[in-house]
Amino acid sequence: MKPRYKRALIIVAALLAIGVAAMLILNALNSNIALYVTPSEVAAGKAPKGQAFRIGGMVKDGSVKRDGLTVHFEITDLAKDIPVAYTGILPDLFKEGKGAVIQGRMNANGEFIASEVLAKHDENYMPPEAKHALDQAQKNGSAK
């Protein structure tokens, strides 16, 4: 085999290996991504079907009910409320009327089954998406 063909074969093999590695990395990133959705978007049917996503807003006052290790509560953006069920230990800062971001999936009954609950840790901080959603919900609520 001529040296020219050997070099070409090595280059093609290297490009093929890089392509396969890039495909595997992109596939792993795509399967682990969690989109952020507001309760109003979930109620409008804009939530991903059969895929994990994050929902954020405020924990509705008076909605937290405990059943052993399972906690049922509602997350709201002040326009729509979504029922949530979480089995596990909640963060210390999780409280009614406070902000939370929850990761999980919707079930067939329209309840969000949470796999992870993140509580807001600073009274002045709110994710930009959640702040925008709350502002929009308040604006739409006052326009009615």
Side-chain angles (χ1 to χ4, degrees):
M1 187 180 278
K2 292 185 180 180
R4 177 197 271 174
Y5 292 123
K6 274 187 178 178
R7 266 182 281 171
L9 188 60
I10 290 171
I11 290 172
V12 168
L15 289 175
L16 185 63
I18 290 171
V20 168
M23 185 182 71
L24 291 173
I25 289 170
L26 290 175
N27 187 30
L29 289 174
N30 190 32
S31 64
N32 289 327
I33 196 165
L35 301 173
Y36 181 87
V37 183
T38 66
S40 293
E41 291 171 334
V42 172
K46 296 179 183 175
K49 306 282 189 247
Q51 181 181 350
F53 62 95
R54 288 184 177 177
I55 187 169
M58 307 296 279
V59 178
K60 187 173 181 181
D61 287 328
S63 69
V64 177
K65 294 174 182 47
R66 297 179 189 274
D67 179 23
L69 276 182
T70 302
V71 180
H72 298 274
F73 59 94
E74 292 182 13
I75 193 85
T76 183
D77 62 1
L78 305 179
K80 298 289 183 182
D81 303 335
I82 301 297
V84 178
Y86 175 69
T87 301
I89 299 172
L90 290 168
D92 291 339
L93 297 174
F94 180 87
K95 292 184 175 87
E96 293 178 352
K98 297 291 183 182
V101 176
I102 301 125
Q103 184 168 328
R105 299 173 187 264
M106 293 298 290
N107 70 6
N109 300 330
E111 186 175 37
F112 190 79
I113 306 302
S115 60
E116 182 179 17
V117 175
L118 305 169
K120 186 171 76 169
H121 60 81
D122 182 1
E123 193 166 312
N124 298 321
Y125 174 75
M126 182 174 291
E129 297 92 347
K131 176 94 171 108
H132 178 70
L134 288 173
D135 291 344
Q136 288 296 103
Q138 286 178 338
K139 193 184 306 180
N140 292 340
S142 64
K144 291 181 181 178

